[in-house]
Amino acid sequence: MYKKILIFIEIIILASLILAVPINTIEQELVVTVLPMKVAYIFKNDMKIDQNIINALEELNLEVDLIQEDTLPVNLTEYRLIYVGDERFRNIENIPINKKPTIISNYYYGYDFGITDRDGISQLGSTAPLTVNINGTSIQVYTEAFLRARLAVPYYFLNNGNKLSSLTQIAATKKTSSWTLGDVISYATPGTTLMNGKTVEENICFFGIIKSEFWTSDAKNLFKNCVRFATGL
């Protein structure tokens, strides 16, 4: 009889302890943490780092790591995107643009990157703020025409006579007479054979609207679209 009383008391105590525990500690929720995708921003001179580019990437919830060229080659497996800005690099072969999703905003290495022949990338300025042509529609991409002292604000483009023919044109230069000169924004998809003989393994976007301090809102959106294409966002 004494043992039965003790067992009964223990059951009452155990029940009261269970009732005292909040239900959310018994049925714990599974919390999934989504880590941001990372961007490897390759640079040579820290004075050339473009904060407007970084801001636009971060607005897309991307985490930007600045990687100095001298540290290459390094393992870039953790990065979803490579950004190559407008600098003269020492060892361009250390940037694996055909193996990772990449944005190219660079004037100097069209052939090395395989997107042009040896004549390279071209540039264009104007006496009025530059526009691009998208499916016949003219879109203004710069707020000003001149940097200073009549020095035009340029953008880069892949000339029709020099570019890799299998690129997909997204935005062309403004029309000169009745035609455009080439691609200001252009895409390459996996399987594309580049002019340097390499094969594209991930999406590449050439983005020639490089003077971000003069971007219009449309230009910024075009850059974000370039990021979305390259990363698959």
Side-chain angles (χ1 to χ4, degrees):
M1 181 67 178
Y2 180 69
K3 288 182 179 180
K4 289 182 179 180
I5 293 173
L6 286 177
I7 291 172
F8 180 72
I9 292 172
E10 288 174 356
I11 291 172
I12 292 174
I13 293 172
L14 181 60
S16 64
L17 289 173
I18 291 173
L19 291 173
V21 176
I23 189 68
N24 62 350
T25 64
I26 296 173
E27 297 181 3
Q28 296 182 356
E29 294 182 0
L30 179 62
V31 177
V32 178
T33 301
V34 179
L35 297 175
M37 290 193 291
K38 299 180 74 173
V39 179
Y41 185 126
I42 310 297
F43 75 99
K44 177 182 175 183
N45 183 342
D46 57 8
M47 297 296 291
K48 292 282 192 176
I49 294 170
D50 190 333
Q51 188 59 48
N52 294 319
I53 292 291
I54 294 173
N55 292 344
L57 291 167
E58 290 179 343
E59 286 171 14
L60 292 171
N61 296 318
L62 297 169
E63 180 181 314
V64 181
D65 284 351
L66 301 175
I67 299 180
Q68 220 281 340
E69 183 206 11
D70 288 344
T71 66
L72 297 174
V74 295
N75 187 348
L76 298 174
T77 303
E78 66 178 308
Y79 294 100
R80 182 60 187 146
L81 178 68
I82 295 174
Y83 176 79
V84 183
D86 195 30
E87 296 190 72
R88 290 184 182 273
F89 296 97
R90 293 189 187 93
N91 299 298
I92 200 68
E93 67 277 1
N94 288 333
I95 304 176
I97 69 115
N98 66 305
K99 295 183 179 296
K100 299 288 293 184
T102 302
I103 295 175
I104 300 170
S105 291
N106 185 285
Y107 176 73
Y108 303 103
Y109 302 104
Y111 180 73
D112 297 87
F113 289 143
I115 55 176
T116 70
D117 61 20
R118 293 187 182 277
D119 286 337
I121 294 168
S122 304
Q123 62 178 307
L124 181 68
S126 178
T127 56
L130 280 169
T131 62
V132 296
N133 188 290
I134 300 179
N135 297 324
T137 300
S138 180
I139 297 174
Q140 184 176 329
V141 292
Y142 286 145
T143 57
E144 303 288 341
F146 297 103
L147 292 164
R148 60 187 179 278
R150 308 297 289 178
L151 181 64
V153 181
Y155 57 44
Y156 300 152
F157 68 96
L158 309 179
N159 189 286
N160 289 329
N162 305 135
K163 71 174 185 176
L164 179 68
S165 61
S166 54
L167 294 174
T168 300
Q169 182 185 93
I170 302 302
T173 63
K174 68 172 191 170
K175 282 190 175 182
T176 302
S177 297
S178 59
W179 63 85
T180 61
L181 300 175
D183 302 5
V184 180
I185 304 172
S186 202
Y187 293 169
T189 53
T192 301
T193 300
L194 300 171
M195 281 191 166
N196 57 15
K198 296 180 179 179
T199 300
V200 174
E201 297 180 19
E202 299 279 0
N203 289 339
I204 296 173
C205 172
F206 171 79
F207 187 83
I209 310 170
I210 40 80
K211 295 298 183 183
S212 65
E213 64 269 37
F214 298 104
W215 275 355
T216 62
S217 58
D218 284 330
K220 187 174 185 179
N221 287 333
L222 287 170
F223 177 76
K224 288 183 176 180
N225 286 342
C226 179
V227 175
R228 293 185 182 101
F229 166 74
T231 60
L233 280 175

